[in-house]
Amino acid sequence: MLAEQRHRLILQALRSGGPAAVTELSEQLGVSPATVRRDLVRLEESGLLTRVHGGAVVEEGEQPFAEVAAVRVPEKDSIAARAASMVQDGDSMLLDIGTTACRLARLLRGRRLTVITSNLVVYEELADDEGIELVLLGGTVRREYRSLIGFLTEDNLRQLHADWLFLGASGVRPGGQVMDTTVVEVPVKRAMIKASDRVVLLADSAKFPGTGMAKVCDPQALDVLVTDAPVDAATRSSLQEADVEVVVAGEVQPCS
């Protein structure tokens, strides 16, 4: 049995039956426990499961927005500050869902910009700022994560164009692929990429590799990555090969 097939069967078993021991998975797959352990290591490195004592578990569902917003706040603020410095007054931008985009929105207050978003928290942050031309995309409301999704959102994006997209992600694989945990958000993210001149990925160091089984895009779709710590060598190499500029917030950038 090929490794890819084993990985798929392991994930199916964990999603359908809950946590499983190495010995159980070994018997189901007809391979040695050592092979299963190696597979679990690879799957954990890809952010697809969590190893526990004697086995593994897949974390189903997603954290509500308020819970995610409360973690790694200094890192998100550092990334947001660097991202805010990239835009000039008069620019237009798309702000993706996610908590880092909301930290960025706070730093845009008082500036003369056009902000287009499917992020209801971004909308609430900027709704009373008369200097911001604010465009809220239509769609179906995801209440837990305060976002808009669906064909209406995607159709709106086909009618719009922006100078910048500030994109969020659940994970970034060593090959540079941008991943998300929620399949229904992926078409909106892809439509945002198509509607933008420059795509900036905002990803703190916990996103390498992070989580997510749905691919948003390959690294070639990105122009810039803004993060809070040096990226691992494999991922940096993949991004550099795709001509993605890697910016570490807080580091002094070379003069152009």
Side-chain angles (χ1 to χ4, degrees), residues 156-238:
N156 283 176
L157 285 163
R158 283 190 283 270
Q159 315 306 317
L160 298 168
H161 193 80
D163 299 315
W164 300 88
L165 164 60
F166 291 97
L167 180 70
S170 301
V172 183
R173 296 290 175 262
Q177 300 89 352
V178 179
M179 310 297 291
D180 202 85
T181 56
T182 310
V183 172
V184 293
E185 291 285 359
V186 171
V188 175
K189 290 176 181 285
R190 290 176 177 171
M192 286 184 169
I193 291 170
K194 290 181 180 179
S196 306
D197 284 336
R198 285 163 287 185
V199 179
V200 181
L201 177 64
L202 308 178
D204 65 63
S205 53
K207 303 294 177 65
F208 299 90
T211 58
M213 60 180 297
K215 187 173 80 170
V216 176
C217 65
D218 289 313
Q220 289 79 9
L222 306 176
D223 294 290
V224 184
L225 163 69
V226 183
T227 187
D228 63 292
V231 178
D232 64 274
T235 307
R236 177 177 283 273
S237 177
S238 298

Side-chain angles (χ1 to χ4, degrees), residues 45-64:
E45 289 174 347
S46 296
L48 297 175
L49 55 73
T50 301
R51 285 187 297 154
V52 295
H53 182 68
V57 62
V58 170
E59 299 291 344
E60 292 291 353
E62 59 183 322
Q63 294 175 280

Side-chain angles (χ1 to χ4, degrees), residues 3 9 18 33 42 55 92 111 128 135 170 174 183 199 216 219 240 246 253:
L9 292 174
R42 292 293 301 275
S92 59
R111 298 186 61 180
D128 64 348
V135 179
S170 301
V183 172
V199 179
V216 176
Q240 288 176 338
V246 178
Q253 299 301 308

